[in-house]
Amino acid sequence: MASSERNKKILLDMVKQPSNDHCADCGAPDPDWASYRLGVFVCVNCSGTHRDLPDISRIKSIHLDFWDDSLVEFMKTKGNAASNAFFEKCVPAYYYRPQQHDCVILKDQWIRAKYERREFTGEKQFLQQVYSADLYEGILWKKGKDNKQFLKRRFVLSKTDFTLRYFTKGDKPKAVISMKNIDVVFQPEKIDHAHGLQISYLEEERTRNLFVYHDKSLEIVSCTTFLGVLVPLITRSNIKEGYMEKTGPTQWEPFKKRWFILNLSDRKLSYFKTSVDALELGAVFIGTEAHGYSVRECQPKQARGGRWKFGVTLDTPGRQFVFLCDQEEDQREWIEALKEVMAQPMLLQHYNTEANMRRMKK
């Protein structure tokens, strides 16, 4: 067997081994690239960041590129388990480890933190000190409430009183936001910036959104990491969002296009005029089937002449809601997402939320 064929077979056998059969950085299955300087197997997406670190990592395809004997021997001495045991030795419990489907910025900064800055090897503990401080302060570009203009604002995160504040000028905060009901998710497409971040929170039982970004990816990820110290799993509450059309309570009112967000943690289906509105127009509480909530597909009569034809009927104890989707796939995804929420048992805070929303509508 020729050397190149033998080496390729060795690599293909290695990548099938436990720990090597998933990307060393994001956990994606069946990685087909490898860093022959670090000795790790990675997916095609993470390989892009490795290519941007030529002094630290060098990438080859295990299927297409030529591997000489010395590189294969090096890979045999390393592998994902051994490499991560060193580079992830001291990852703090609060530090979010990106997964396969997370946005590029999270994975990019995770890889740079691991290999470029070597934050988790135990050699540079001072790099983690910022997250143990009582305050985190920084400047972010924030979208105006009533326009599309982004302006620089000072943001302060406090462990002492568990709040997020932002300032327009002076020392008096424009808003003081309790971290108790906050939700944070990267939204590069929605905000039209690679480092775009959406911060959602409840104010008098209504959802408000802040849209911010920073020109440097490290700064915006550091901000979310500090948030992660205060609020674990901050990026996981919104399970579905997108446009649907909505009619009124009699179902004879014209359908209007609205941006909907379904949140699993507070069981709310909130709707906004556009995807980047600061304040919700309204919301629907989603209970369980045992409490009179259900969802199904439908074909509303008044939708037959319109472009959006794929209906969703949501039944609640107080009212029936009818929505229209542009595509059949959207209809299916919304129904599945709503059923997912209905399948989760209600907690005490959910009963309180349901009661408060009913009082607000009276």
Side-chain angles (χ1 to χ4, degrees), residues 142-146 155 166 177 181-185 187 190-191 197-203 206-212 238 241 259-261 263 270-281:
K142 174 189 171 293
K143 179 182 176 294
K145 178 181 176 182
D146 300 316
F155 283 77
Y166 75 89
I177 303 166
N181 296 311
I182 201 168
D183 187 77
V184 182
V185 63
Q187 293 280 15
K190 184 187 289 188
I191 299 173
L197 193 71
Q198 177 178 324
I199 303 171
S200 303
Y201 61 97
L202 290 180
E203 183 178 84
R206 298 183 71 187
T207 300
R208 295 190 72 99
N209 294 321
L210 302 179
F211 299 98
V212 300
N238 293 341
E241 59 181 288
W259 182 266
F260 286 83
I261 298 177
N263 187 287
S270 302
Y271 56 94
F272 305 78
K273 187 174 182 179
T274 72
S275 62
V276 289
D277 274 10
L279 183 64
E280 70 177 26
L281 296 176

Side-chain angles (χ1 to χ4, degrees), residues 22 66 111 117 133 159 187 190 226-227 243 312:
H22 286 73
F66 173 79
I111 292 169
R117 300 192 292 273
K159 287 184 184 177
Q187 293 280 15
K190 184 187 289 188
F226 193 90
L227 277 166
Y243 280 109
V312 175

Side-chain angles (χ1 to χ4, degrees), residues 138-315:
I139 302 296
L140 300 176
W141 290 90
K142 174 189 171 293
K143 179 182 176 294
K145 178 181 176 182
D146 300 316
N147 56 56
K148 297 181 179 180
Q149 187 176 9
F150 281 81
L151 300 171
K152 282 187 176 181
R153 296 290 182 253
R154 180 166 65 98
F155 283 77
V156 176
L157 285 160
S158 171
K159 287 184 184 177
T160 305
D161 58 5
F162 210 60
T163 60
L164 168 65
R165 290 174 164 85
Y166 75 89
F167 302 77
T168 55
K169 55 185 177 181
D171 294 326
K172 184 177 180 181
K174 177 70 173 179
V176 179
I177 303 166
S178 170
M179 300 292 289
K180 181 180 179 181
N181 296 311
I182 201 168
D183 187 77
V184 182
V185 63
F186 281 98
Q187 293 280 15
E189 293 84 7
K190 184 187 289 188
I191 299 173
D192 197 25
H193 193 282
H195 310 152
L197 193 71
Q198 177 178 324
I199 303 171
S200 303
Y201 61 97
L202 290 180
E203 183 178 84
E204 297 179 350
E205 298 300 329
R206 298 183 71 187
T207 300
R208 295 190 72 99
N209 294 321
L210 302 179
F211 299 98
V212 300
Y213 71 85
H214 196 286
D215 290 322
K216 296 181 179 179
S217 59
L218 175 58
E219 293 296 327
I220 198 72
V221 171
S222 295
C223 175
T224 60
T225 299
F226 193 90
L227 277 166
V229 176
L230 303 180
V231 187
L233 300 178
I234 57 174
T235 62
R236 288 290 170 264
S237 293
N238 293 341
I239 61 172
K240 173 69 178 172
E241 59 181 288
Y243 280 109
M244 291 191 291
E245 289 189 342
K246 173 186 177 296
T247 186
T250 69
Q251 299 182 18
W252 287 106
E253 296 88 347
F255 279 89
K256 295 182 179 179
K257 187 177 178 181
R258 296 289 183 254
W259 182 266
F260 286 83
I261 298 177
L262 180 59
N263 187 287
L264 182 60
S265 64
D266 61 16
R267 309 183 72 105
K268 283 177 58 178
L269 177 65
S270 302
Y271 56 94
F272 305 78
K273 187 174 182 179
T274 72
S275 62
V276 289
D277 274 10
L279 183 64
E280 70 177 26
L281 296 176
V284 183
F285 181 82
I286 309 298
T288 65
E289 291 187 356
H291 290 84
Y293 293 83
S294 64
V295 62
R296 65 185 187 279
E297 63 180 66
C298 67
Q299 177 60 59
K301 294 181 179 179
Q302 61 269 46
R304 289 177 180 170
R307 182 171 64 88
W308 294 39
K309 301 179 182 296
F310 302 96
V312 175
T313 296
L314 173 63
D315 288 305

Side-chain angles (χ1 to χ4, degrees), residues 95-106:
Y95 202 101
Y96 179 69
R97 301 172 186 242
Q99 304 300 305
Q100 176 183 1
H101 298 295
D102 281 320
C103 62
V104 172
I105 182 176
L106 278 175

Side-chain angles (χ1 to χ4, degrees), residues 16 25 32 41 66 71 107 116 118 126 138 155 211 236 243 268 286 291 295 297 323 328-329 336 345 348 361:
K16 294 176 183 177
D25 298 322
D32 49 10
F41 294 91
F66 173 79
L71 296 183
K107 290 187 281 190
E116 185 178 44
R118 295 175 72 143
F126 66 91
F155 283 77
F211 299 98
R236 288 290 170 264
Y243 280 109
K268 283 177 58 178
I286 309 298
H291 290 84
V295 62
E297 63 180 66
F323 311 109
E328 187 174 8
E329 181 180 3
E336 289 178 354
L348 177 60
K361 292 178 179 179

